[in-house]
């Protein structure tokens, strides 16, 4: 009879989660290119415009988690994430800060909001994440947010390297990265507590690590799509047209 593997201790499990950081998209060649100052203005703009689609879907993901969560105390704390991204009227929160970044890199907010630059690969990856959050248990969906564990490092790297390499970017555009330094750390503390308390058997811990890898896959795939289109110049349908013929969602 096969013996069920023992669960990791809390500290062991936490360390295994932290070790997943080696697959964070900070190590993707596209991000490394931006960090090292080797990206063109078009590549920076493409990243900002496509990442906007991810930004505006974060509160939808968080709303899905809360909709599935029966624990009032968790919802009361988790809702802060939505407020951070959507803001409280008339403040636009993280979404507005991202649009200021878009303007700082030379894009118009109208163009970014239109989503005309969002690549199909980026859209499919982000939509897969939101759909996962809607279908999964709230604990599983909450644990997927633990990529925030690695986020302060990536935000700090942008704040340190971009002003040096891209002096043409208006400093006002960096407010999103500055705000996320503290917000991400707070979110991690909450999300990590939920995860360590919720996944206590070997099977549950393996499941959680698979979910975290799925989220890492999402972030990596976004940059894969950008690399294909803006590094290798192979945007969707590039072999038959130079037009952006990919559709923008539900027939916008």
């Amino acid at each position: 009879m096969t013996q069920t593997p023992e669960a990791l201790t809390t500290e062991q499990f936490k360390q295994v989660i932290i070790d997943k950081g080696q697959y964070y998209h900070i190590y993707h060649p596209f991000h490394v290119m931006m960090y090292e100052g080797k990206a063109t203005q078009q590549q920076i703009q493409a990243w900002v415009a496509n990442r906007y689609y991810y930004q505006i879907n974060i509160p939808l993901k968080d709303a899905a988690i809360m909709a599935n969560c029966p624990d009032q105390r968790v919802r009361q704390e988790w809702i802060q994430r939505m407020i951070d991204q959507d803001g409280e009227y008339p403040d636009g929160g993280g979404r507005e800060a991202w649009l200021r970044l878009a303007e700082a890199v030379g894009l118009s907010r109208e163009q970014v909001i239109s989503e005309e630059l969002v690549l199909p690969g980026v859209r499919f990856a982000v939509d897969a994440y939101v759909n996962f959050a809607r279908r999964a248990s709230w604990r599983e969906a909450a644990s997927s947010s633990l990529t925030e564990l690695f986020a302060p490092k990536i935000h700090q790297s942008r704040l340190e390297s971009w002003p040096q390499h891209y002096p043409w970017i208006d400093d006002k555009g960096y407010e999103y990265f500055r705000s996320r330094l503290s917000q991400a750390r707070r979110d991690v503390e909450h999300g990590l507590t939920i995860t360590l308390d919720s996944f206590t058997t070997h099977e549950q811990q393996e499941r959680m690590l698979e979910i975290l890898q799925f989220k890492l896959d999402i972030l990596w795939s976004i940059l894969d799509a950008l690399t294909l289109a803006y590094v290798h110049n192979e945007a969707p349908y590039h072999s038959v047209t130079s037009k952006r013929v990919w559709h923008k969602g539900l027939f916008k």
Side-chain angles (χ1 to χ4, degrees):
M1 184 174 179
T2 304
Q3 187 175 6
T4 303
E6 291 186 4
L8 299 174
T9 66
T10 298
E11 285 304 312
Q12 289 172 332
F13 188 33
K14 181 179 179 180
Q15 187 57 54
V16 172
I17 292 171
I18 292 172
D19 289 345
K20 279 288 187 179
Q22 65 185 304
Y23 306 116
Y24 194 49
H25 63 164
I26 193 173
Y27 302 112
H28 191 287
F30 196 93
H31 186 273
V32 172
M33 176 183 68
M34 292 192 294
Y35 174 78
E36 294 180 345
K38 298 177 181 177
T40 65
Q41 182 172 6
Q42 183 191 40
Q43 289 167 338
I44 294 288
Q45 290 176 338
W47 177 77
V48 171
N50 277 268
R51 180 79 179 190
Y52 173 77
Y53 188 69
Y54 178 81
Q55 297 304 138
I56 64 174
N57 275 280
I58 290 175
L60 300 184
K61 175 267 298 183
D62 290 325
I65 292 173
M66 289 195 299
N68 292 330
C69 178
D71 190 319
Q72 180 187 18
R73 288 182 298 174
V74 172
R75 293 197 307 268
Q76 287 173 335
E77 192 164 352
W78 201 274
I79 197 172
Q80 185 59 49
R81 298 172 186 244
M82 290 182 62
I83 294 172
D84 289 342
Q85 296 297 338
D86 273 345
E88 294 181 288
Y89 186 81
D91 168 41
R95 178 188 294 225
E96 177 61 26
W98 198 267
L99 288 171
R100 289 197 293 271
L101 172 62
E103 292 175 319
V105 302
L107 294 166
S108 71
R109 63 174 51 217
E110 291 76 20
Q111 184 179 31
V112 175
I113 292 172
S114 76
E115 301 175 14
E116 67 179 70
L117 295 177
V118 178
L119 296 163
V122 172
R123 187 180 298 278
F124 296 157
V126 174
D127 288 353
Y129 183 38
V130 176
N131 289 331
F132 166 77
R134 288 171 175 157
R135 297 193 307 268
S137 72
W138 73 267
R139 295 178 187 275
E140 290 183 338
S143 71
S144 72
S145 297
L146 273 185
T147 49
E148 289 286 357
L149 185 66
F150 322 118
K153 182 177 180 180
I154 206 169
H155 295 314
Q156 189 63 51
S157 74
R158 291 166 187 152
L159 290 170
E160 291 174 353
S161 66
W162 281 30
Q164 175 185 353
H165 296 307
Y166 311 112
W168 48 269
I169 298 179
D170 191 325
D171 185 66
K172 295 178 182 178
Y174 295 125
E175 182 53 37
Y176 181 86
F177 304 141
R178 296 190 186 102
S179 64
R180 288 305 297 167
L181 286 175
S182 59
Q183 291 171 358
R185 293 188 178 98
R186 179 207 62 213
D187 293 346
V188 164
E189 183 177 349
H190 184 216
L192 193 57
T193 297
I194 291 172
T195 298
L196 296 177
D197 289 346
S198 301
F199 300 87
T200 56
T201 69
H202 173 78
E203 183 178 10
Q204 290 170 343
Q205 291 171 346
E206 286 293 307
R207 170 62 175 164
M208 183 271 156
L209 293 173
E210 290 174 358
I211 291 169
L212 184 57
Q213 185 61 56
F214 164 72
K215 175 62 180 307
L216 292 165
D217 294 347
I218 294 293
L219 298 174
W220 199 273
S221 296
I222 288 172
L223 295 182
D224 281 347
L226 282 162
T227 299
L228 194 62
Y230 290 96
V231 176
H232 300 299
N233 299 313
E234 295 182 353
Y237 310 105
H238 73 280
S239 60
V240 294
T241 181
S242 60
K243 297 179 181 179
R244 301 189 190 105
V245 297
W246 55 84
H247 86 46
K248 298 184 292 182
L250 296 178
F251 309 105
K252 293 181 180 179

